[in-house]
Every structure is written in structure tokens, then in C-alpha cells.
Amino acid sequence: MSNNGDHQLGRLVSESAFEWEDPGSNPAADMVDAARNTAWDLGKQPNNYRSNFPTQEWARRLDLVHTGEARSEEQVAAGVLEAERVWLVHRGGFCAARILEGDASAGDPSSAPPPPGKLALKLEHSGDIIHVDEDDVEKANPDQYDRCEDLASLRHLNESSVLHTLRQRYGSNLIHTYAGGSMVVVNPTTPLAIYSEKVIQMFRGCRQEEMPPHIYSIGQSAYREMVSTRRDQSIVFLGRSGAGKTTNFRHVLHYLALATPSSNSVLTVERLNAISTLLEAFGNSRTLLNTNATRFTQIFSLDYDHTGQIASASIQVYMAEKMRVVRRPEGEPNYHIFYQLLSGADDTLRSLLSLDNLSEPNLFMTPLQRTEDKQKAGIAWARIRAALDVLGVKEGEQRALWRVLAAIYHLGVAAVTTSGPAHKAQFAGPASADVAAALLGTTIEELTRAIFLPAHQAPQPRSSFSCIDEGSSVIVMDSVEADYDHHRSSSPMDRSGSRGSKHQLEGREALEGMAAGLYAEAFNAVVTLMNRCISGSANTVNSILVVDTPGFQNPGSCGRASGASFGDLCHNYTQERLQMLYHDTTFTAQADRYAQEHIECGDVSEALGTPAPLIALIDKPATNSVVRTSQQDLREADRRGLLWLLDEEAIFPGATDQSFLERLFAHYAERDHEQMLQKGSSPDQFVLQHFQGTNPVVYSAHGWLRASRENPVLRQAPTLLQESKKESVSRLFVASRGAVTSSSLVNGPSSGGSVVGIESAQSLRRASSIRRAFTTGTAGIKRRSVALQVKFTVDGIVESLRRTKLRFVHCVLPQHNAGLCELRSPGTSSSPSKPGSPSSVEDTLLNVPLVRSQLRGCQLVEALRLHKQGFPEHMSYQQFRRQFAVLAPSQLRAGPLLDHRAATEAILQHLEMEPSSYRLGLSQDVFFLNSDTLIKKMRAVLTCSNKGPIALRGQRPHELRLQRMLLSANCKCNHPLTVLSCVLAPTL
């Protein structure tokens, strides 16, 4: 496709100037043709048209064209031979230059011949001649590759060329770019008019080669392959916080809901918008990096029946930050829903919820003060009420949700104090506590008992160095633990010197546990109501999973010196695991397949890093059940990951955050781990080198033991709500979780999302499989460990995704503060360039060092090299023969029966395929460099110039039908490699 195609797509769509009347035409193909025919019409624009181009170079090229001074191809080639155009790589990015060879610099008296190992370059922006190391120079591509649609098609594939292409496209509002088998999307920070129902119809039914880069093309490709191969598909979004993952997540869902048929309208755009509104309200919050950060992981499953129609859908929510309701980093607010309720509720609802007076201090939140913020929250509240109506949530169910949220607010007002000789914890504001109890349908005595019962204080300490056998109570401590055990000190509570302060702190933690548990149950009920609306009972055969996770968190990039929190570590660990999944899919599995089939395509593992070492540092379990006693055995066999060490310290008597850090550095003191783990600038900080060292994050271990220790009061919230005397409250929360049983309480509030309301057998099996990953075996034993439940939950998600055909979308952050686009003025840059710098204009759009760090972290350039030099598409010999046997020569069809490999080779030779475009595997697969080449070859065989189909000798009637189908512009085949299957099935 032309490089101008997607540029014209953005211009034509934004101006609503593209219409078609012929229903039999292909809109996407027509769009590309129109773009090609009008590529230079911009020259007819007024004189100020040049300001629309990202650089002055583009305007200069247009001037050359219209003045007749443009060079011919021979002149261009001669110019390249005279001075090769290259990129000079430097810390701030890269710049264009020309290599001076021979006597090219002899006329400059200040320039001397370059010493060995260096090159003489002439900088294009200043004309200076400098000598640089050969390693600092990368080849540049010809100008026609400046806005190339697929990075894998660049002639010279290197980091600077990829960055240049992304910058040129981004400057033209072309935010989507193919990257081999995946896609790169740069956050535009402002809305673009490229997402609409009209654009969706342009992509509907298109093949991969017909679609310009767009997030809709990912959804279309996933649907077509699912229908053709009958294999589950998944779309995974990767990137930093604020890079636009959730926004693109929603765009994909909108496309699939509109472009793919749906039986009984089970999933409509209105319902999708309603779901997005509610999830954003209950699960999003403003952070230092993002004004609307997602704080939970979600898997949206679209389940299809045998006809390819959406028969059911479901949402699964994992790892929601329930403790964020009560504890957050300094300066960050609570979840959106609280401020929207407090600002938008009408007088009747305010009176019902006792929210007339909001001036009292609150432990958990502060109501909005600015009039502008209140107005925005009120508008959002109206959207929330409308969304609940769209999803069919009854008025009684809505009021039950508002009762729980208002009760959390009043518990924050009630606060905690101590009284009596025993310093017993109790409510500081009994009146507010009584209001909270009334809203929950209980009494203040029952509420006090559920929160402050002495049995619900801190869990009884137990050693973590027990054998794996559950029945054993033997506690074994190795020599290393004994060596630094004397460093342990009593907990802060024991050192406080005030017994009353200790009990007050414990009482506040108990109050926080109840508030967090109530919110977790409310969020779980909202997800259940959504699933009740979009789930269907029809039989389903395949699914498309769309996965959205919180982005990578690095508060230090925005100036927070205090360090990242435990919650940030959990989200960063999830991103590392998904990056490892991308690495395994792109590199490891491909290399293993090549080795198994004896396919040579160069060294795919040359100096290639992997996220595995850092992941092992975080989640590696002990390899043996028997604890060793020697230092060497500890280093080699019993070294445990950070999460396991944190779990052990959280339940060890007298452990502190500092003792946890001492154990962590004792386990990873070797030189091999210094590149991944270093000490921070303060005693409670440490540094982890994420994404192969491209993104170091400073963590503060302050409060990590408390964060990783399960609050036992959390388990009282489900019982309190299900036994409520308010019928609407009791009915809602019994329906959302089922009757209170030991198993439901053991798993904790919303540990993995409710499956109630999901009717599709496909979704139920998948959700149950993920839940088993963190509720059985070792995960079941550690079910009360907050730290380890993160690992077990991610294990289940990753294993569920491995069973599908994966598609990855890399969301790129163009500036450090791009996620805060609502709070900054347009055009501001977080890292301004020096005045007069050649890249100062571009840097206001794209922070090149930041984007380069992200590309290195996700190993995108390495993946592109493998995609370009390898054979990314493959199919079995049996499948190839079954689908393409009709193209075999007549003597082969009439001759003796050959094995599938020989038949495949004969067909490819008959089609006169280029030997370099495919490889025959040793046992079972044939590999293709590009399946589109095969389709074009088949069309050429079946076409004679412009005269239409060829009647091949011995051709049968169904083969003529096949020809007509291949030549039809309206062919809606499912995949290039299976273009013939729809007609061959009834004949072979």
C-alpha cells in the first residue's frame, strides 16, 4: 500500500469528505486509490499549506516538484553514491548527516582525514564536518520510507530509522504503525477524528493487505483468523501509564461490536459505552503519571458461535487496588466514583444517604472544592446513572450500591480512637458510625463488633520457613537467616512506648480493612451486573480476549523522589510478565520452530536480552522443600524472589521493612545481580532495572509489610452485606457472590472477580481455569498472602493467554507528561530542546530519548529484524495440500498419491514461487515470508493479462468458480493462506 494511504485516510475521514454509494465496492481499496491519485493535490493549496507538514524539508520537496527541479531516479542514485545519508546517534536522539569519502572534505582546511575506526560526517542542519565513531552511525533510508506503514519493510532497519519513521508519521497524525506481526500506537494526547462508525465500515471484511495501520485492523485480523482457523484469539496492550492502552482497548471492542455480527444484540455499542463508563468510575483514579489511570486488570471476552456471531460476552476483573480507597500516595485522590457521588447526587439521594453536610474531616477522602471540578463530576454522575439504566440495573440495586459507597464515606468521618484502661479501639464519631451502620442495614453494635473484635487484630505470627508439607509443623531456619536475625527489631507498634497509640493504630487498620472490603464487594457487584446484561446462554465455540492492564509505573520520571509503592511494583511485575509473553511468542517459539524444522534464517538470539532474570528476582520460589544449611546451597537452590521474601517477612515476629530489605540484599548480593538490583539513596529504598535495564525504578519499601499482610477485617465485609437487614442490599450482594461459604471467604473479597452472571460455558471454563491458578496447590496454601496472590493471579492470566493466538499492541508514551494532557497546555514539552536545535520542533511532539527507551525495553527493533529475515507465516503440509491442491498440475492430480510434503513442493514449483519466499520444513510445516505473495501468484496463474480467467487443461467446473472468486473484488475470504478453503471444502 502507498505510504500516502493512511495520511489521506486521516485527512479524508477528519473532513468527512469520503463517501461511497456502490455497496459492492471495497471502501478501503477505494480509499487507497483516491489517496494515490491525489497525492500531490496539496500543491494547489494556498501558500500557507507548508505549515501543515512536520518539517520544512517536506515543503521544499513539493516546491521542487512544482518548479520542475526535482531530480530523476538516476540523479538521486548518483547523489547517494556521492555521499551516503546516515543518522548520527547521540544521547539526545539522532540527526541526519552525510558520509564524506575520499577528498570530499579536502576543501575545508579545518577538516583532517578521520583516524582509523572513525568516519567523516557532514551534518545536514549546520553543515559542520565532524569525525565520529563508526558505531555511532546508522544508515538512513530513502525519503520514500519516511512514513512507511510497516516498520519491517524499511530498507535499512535500525533504531534511528524506526524512530524517524514514527516521528514523521506522528507529526502527520498517523499514530498507528505496523511493526511486523504487532502494532505500535503513539498516544496523540488529543482526540483524533479517525474513530467512527463510518471508518469501522471501511475496515469491515478487509484482508490484512487492504488495511492501513489502524487499531481497527487488529480487531479485524483477529476476527478473520478466528473464523478461518477456529482458534481463540487475544489482543494484549503493553506500555507505560498514560500511553493510551485503555483508550485503544475500548476502540477494539467498539470495532468488534459493530463490525462483527451479534445474535440477539447481546453486545451493543450503547452497552459497551455504559460498561466503560462504570469501570472508569469505579476502577480509575488520577495519579502522578495519568489523570485517568486504570487501577485494575481486566479481560473482556467476546464469545462467538459456530456462525461467527457474538453470542455472549463477559468481563473478568483482577488485582483491583481495593486498599487505594483508604491509603494512597501523597497528593493522589480516591477513585472517581466517590467525588462523582458527592457532587452529583440530587437532594433526594443526598437525604437518603445523609450526605447533606460534607464539611467534616474524613480519613479516606476530601470532597471537591473547586466549582469547575464539581461541575465535571456532576456531568460524570449523570452519565453513570444513564449507564446503569442502559445495562438494566434496577433502582433498588443502584441504591444498594450508593448505600455502600456512602457508608464508606461516613466510616471515614467516624475515624478511630481509644478509651478505657485497656485502650480499646472504638469510633471517634459514633454519630457518623451509626449512619454508616444504618446505610448498611445493621446496627452500630454489630458494625463495631465486626471491625474492632480483638480476634480480628493482626494475624498470629508464624514462621515462613516451614516445609512444603502442609501437615508438618516443623520450623527450620537456616544459617543465613540466623546470621542476620539479630538485626530484627520489634515492630513499630512495640517500640511506640504508648499502648494507646498502638491500639489506635491497630483500630485504624481494622477500620481501613472494613472500608476496603466494602468497596471491593461494591466493585464486584458492579462487574456482576455488567455480566448479567451481556452474557448469553447460547453455545459458543471460540472467543476473542482483549486484555487491559495498568501501565508501567515510574513516579521518578515525573519528579517524585519518595519512590514507587508496593502497588506500583505489582503493576510493573504484570507488565514484565506480559513482556516476557511477547518475548516467548516472538523470539523463543519462533526460534524453536525454526530449529525443529531445520530452517536457517540467521542468528535470532544474538545478544538478545530477556525479562526472565528480573522476573525470577521478583517471583522465584524456593526449589526444594528441605531448607539447606550452607551458604552455597542457599545461593544455588533456596534463593527466593522478592515476593516470597516479603511474604515471609510479613508474618515473621518482629519483622520490619528494613529487615525485609536486609534479607533481599542478602539473597541477591552476588555480582551477577548487581545489574538488576541496587541500593537506593536512602536506607528504605532500592532500585530495580526493569525492561533489560532501560527503565530503572526507585522503590520505597516503607509500609510494604503492612501492604503485603492481609487485613483480616476484609473478610467481614461480605458477611456484613449479605446479612444486611436492608433487603435491597442483601439481595444484591448475595446474588453477586452467592451464599456465604468458607471457600468464598477464604479466597477473600474480589480476589479474582466474580463469575456470577456469566452464562457462556466458554467464559466460565476460562474464568475457572484462571481462578484455579491462585486457589489450588501452593497458591491455595498462600491464599492469605497479598504479595504471592499477585504472582499466582498473573500466572493464571498468562497461561490462559498462551492457549490463544496472541496479538500485541505496543502503546508508546510520546512525552513524560502525556498522560496528564488534561492538566497541561497544548504544545508544552517535558524536555525542551535548546533554541535553534534542529530537532526542537519535533521534540515538542516526540521525546526521542523517551521513545527510544520504550522501543528498547519492548525489544521492538530486534523483533522487526527477526520478522524481516525470517518466515513468520507457516502452515502444515496437510493443510496446504488440502486448500491448494486445486492449483496443482493435472498430472499430479491424476498421478500416484504423494506424501503431503512432496505434494506441497510440487504445487509451489508449479506456481513458480520464488525459492527465497518460502522454506519447506523438515517434518510438518511450510514457511512463508509473506502469504500475500502466494495469493498474488495464484491470481497471476488464474489470470491472463486483462482477459479474465484462464481455462486450464482438465479444469473442472468448481475450479472455474474458484477462479471467479479469486478475481472478485468483493471476495470476503478469511485469511490470505485460507482464501480457497470456503470453496474447496465441499469439493475436496
Side-chain angles (χ1 to χ4, degrees), residues 355-419:
L355 296 176
D356 300 315
N357 183 15
L358 303 179
S359 60
E360 297 177 334
N362 195 299
L363 290 177
F364 305 147
M365 69 197 75
T366 301
L368 300 176
Q369 303 299 324
R370 295 172 51 190
T371 304
E372 180 183 359
D373 295 337
K374 290 181 180 180
Q375 291 176 349
K376 291 181 179 179
I379 295 173
W381 174 256
R383 291 199 300 266
I384 291 172
R385 297 300 298 267
L388 291 169
D389 293 337
V390 169
L391 296 177
V393 180
K394 301 176 183 177
E395 184 66 25
E397 295 170 332
Q398 296 184 30
R399 297 210 167 188
L401 290 173
W402 311 144
R403 283 178 175 275
V404 175
L405 298 180
I408 295 173
Y409 174 83
H410 289 294
L411 287 176
V413 175
V416 178
T417 188
T418 57
S419 64

Side-chain angles (χ1 to χ4, degrees), residues 18 42 132 357 378 474 520 531 703 725 853 878:
F18 196 85
L42 294 173
V132 299
N357 183 15
V474 178
N531 285 329
K725 295 180 176 62
S853 172
Q878 183 178 2

Side-chain angles (χ1 to χ4, degrees), residues 669-684:
E670 288 82 0
R671 185 171 299 177
D672 296 342
H673 301 99
E674 289 181 356
Q675 296 180 351
M676 296 184 295
L677 174 66
Q678 295 98 27
K679 292 184 178 180
S681 57
S682 63
D684 66 338

Side-chain angles (χ1 to χ4, degrees), residues 185-331:
V185 183
V186 185
N187 185 359
T189 70
T190 55
L192 299 179
I194 58 174
Y195 309 103
S196 65
E197 186 172 352
K198 178 185 291 186
V199 180
I200 288 176
Q201 296 303 323
M202 294 169 63
F203 284 85
R204 183 176 183 179
C206 291
R207 296 185 294 270
Q208 179 69 36
E209 68 273 15
E210 297 175 341
M211 296 183 290
H214 198 285
I215 194 63
Y216 292 161
S217 65
I218 294 293
Q220 174 63 18
S221 299
Y223 175 73
R224 293 176 68 89
E225 187 162 351
M226 183 203 68
V227 173
S228 78
T229 63
R230 294 302 180 184
R231 182 184 178 188
D232 292 346
Q233 309 288 310
S234 58
I235 303 173
V236 181
F237 295 89
L238 306 173
R240 300 192 184 190
S241 179
K245 295 180 301 302
T246 302
T247 300
N248 288 285
F249 169 86
R250 294 173 182 173
H251 288 321
V252 166
L253 291 177
H254 281 188
Y255 177 83
L256 292 172
L258 275 175
T260 60
S262 175
S263 59
N264 300 325
S265 299
V266 65
L267 186 65
T268 62
V269 174
E270 291 75 15
R271 291 181 178 180
L272 271 179
N273 290 333
I275 290 172
S276 299
T277 299
L278 293 178
L279 288 177
E280 180 179 325
F282 281 85
N284 287 26
S285 175
R286 182 172 63 82
T287 66
L288 183 69
L289 302 171
N290 194 347
T291 58
N292 193 23
T294 301
R295 312 309 295 172
F296 61 95
T297 295
Q298 61 176 320
I299 299 180
F300 200 107
S301 174
L302 295 96
D303 304 324
Y304 294 83
D305 58 18
H306 66 283
T307 64
Q309 293 187 335
I310 300 177
S312 180
S314 64
I315 310 167
Q316 281 288 289
V317 171
Y318 301 95
M319 298 183 293
E321 289 186 9
K322 49 182 175 287
M323 296 306 296
R324 188 179 183 85
V325 177
V326 294
R327 290 197 303 268
R328 297 170 302 281
E330 184 179 358

Side-chain angles (χ1 to χ4, degrees), residues 65 278 315 327 395 462 558 654 678 686 795 972 982:
V65 170
L278 293 178
I315 310 167
R327 290 197 303 268
E395 184 66 25
R462 58 182 177 86
C558 285
Q678 295 98 27
F686 64 96
D795 285 345
K972 304 299 181 183
C982 50

Side-chain angles (χ1 to χ4, degrees), residues 507-519:
R508 174 164 179 171
E509 288 186 359
L511 181 65
E512 291 176 350
M514 176 57 71
L518 291 174
Y519 190 78

